[in-house]
Amino acid sequence: MLLSAALQGMGVALQPTYLVSEILQRGELVQLLPQWQAKTMNIYALYSSRKYQPPAVRALIDHLVAFFSSGQ
C-alpha cells in the first residue's frame, strides 16, 4: 500500500531495495536521502531437520539466500 501511494504521488515511503530498484531505474520514484540506510533486517528459515530435508526445501533456501544477498 505504501509503495502504491508513493507511486501515486501521495508522499514518501520507506521500501526495501528489492521492491523498488526497477522503479527507481525507470525514474518513477526518486530516492531521498541516499546516504541514509535503515537498519539491516534478518530473515530466518525454520525447518524441522536437516537430516530428512527434502531437496526442494534446500533449493528454496539456497534461492532465498542468493536473492536477498544480491541486494535486489
Side-chain angles (χ1 to χ4, degrees):
M1 291 179 72
L2 290 174
L3 179 55
S4 178
L7 285 167
Q8 294 176 35
M10 299 175 139
V12 177
L14 177 62
Q15 296 290 298
T17 305
Y18 69 90
L19 284 181
V20 295
S21 60
E22 290 180 19
I23 295 168
L24 290 170
Q25 288 175 1
R26 290 193 304 260
E28 295 177 42
L29 290 177
V30 295
Q31 184 178 10
L32 301 177
L33 305 171
Q35 69 282 3
W36 182 83
Q37 289 190 358
K39 284 188 195 179
T40 301
M41 295 177 59
N42 295 320
I43 297 174
Y44 298 92
L46 301 176
Y47 45 89
S48 59
S49 172
R50 285 185 181 181
K51 188 173 182 179
Y52 301 109
Q53 187 179 70
V57 172
R58 180 78 254 159
L60 173 62
I61 292 168
D62 292 342
H63 171 74
L64 292 173
V65 167
F67 181 81
F68 287 108
S69 296
S70 69
Q72 289 195 5

